[in-house]
Amino acid sequence: MHITAEHVITFIEQVAATIKAQRDYLTQLDSAIGDADHGVNLDRGFTTVLTKLPGVADKDVGTILKTVGTTLVSTVGGASGPLYGTAFLRAGMAMGDRFELGTADVIAALEAALEGVQSRGKSARGEKTMIDSIGPGIDALKEANAAGEDFISALRKGVDACEAGMRATRPMLATKGRASYLGDRSVGHQDPGATSAFLMAQAMLGVVEQL
Ligand code: ADP
Ligand code: MG
């Protein structure tokens, strides 16, 4: 299984499309436990990202992902801009000048992204954030891959775990970010960032299923 730089561009385009389509839903989730801007923030960022893609169309995967990261940091704002920006930057740094990625590379990129979010956000699992969907998703992907499953079915398991992690944020008490200001009132609502992370994971699966 080889993912080319072109597939990575398609993945980013799919993320931008799904964020645009789900913008109001993400913002609605953020209105319950935040300031009603998550969908708007991410849509602004990924719309700008789309304008940068033609300039990196013939570049290596590291350059593409780093361009996405710096664009998100400078355009998204809020907590999620620096966090997703760092995720894409770290994934890009991990991929360097590769033009093709194998299974191990994709896993390494995702792990680097998660580490980036955790170090930038000083957050751990169970705090009702995007980490609660990204973390279990990567665990399930790695476990299925280590058990010898083909990449598509391993990635499907990862996306399923990501979705379960997203839903598991509902009963959680937020202890990081804006939602933590609500204390007990944050309980009973799905985390917007865990939801956008799941949408990105679904977009990745969609691209891999077309390979
Ligand atoms: P803001 O909260 O600044 O308005 P957004 O609404 O765009 O920013 O993003 C909110 C999302 O960011 C939350 O739903 C949560 O998933 C994520 N988030 C906030 N703080 C952290 C953190 N310290 N670590 C990881 N994720 C976080
Ligand atoms: Mg917000």
Side-chain angles (χ1 to χ4, degrees), residues 160-171:
D160 287 348
C162 207
E163 183 173 17
M166 169 189 85
R167 299 203 190 290
T169 62
R170 278 184 198 156

Side-chain angles (χ1 to χ4, degrees), residues 42-58:
L42 285 183
D43 183 38
R44 181 173 56 244
F46 278 98
T47 299
T48 310
V49 164
L50 287 180
T51 69
K52 303 278 169 85
L53 292 181
V56 293
D58 58 348

Side-chain angles (χ1 to χ4, degrees), residues 30 34-38 41 178:
D30 195 35
D35 56 353
D37 65 355
H38 189 57
N41 280 344
R178 212 176 271 282

Side-chain angles (χ1 to χ4, degrees), residues 15-31 36-44 47 192 196 199:
V15 169
T18 191
I19 293 294
K20 189 169 286 306
Q22 301 296 326
R23 183 187 62 186
D24 294 348
Y25 171 55
L26 292 171
T27 290
Q28 182 195 323
L29 290 174
D30 195 35
S31 73
D37 65 355
H38 189 57
V40 175
N41 280 344
L42 285 183
D43 183 38
R44 181 173 56 244
T47 299
S196 54
L199 293 174

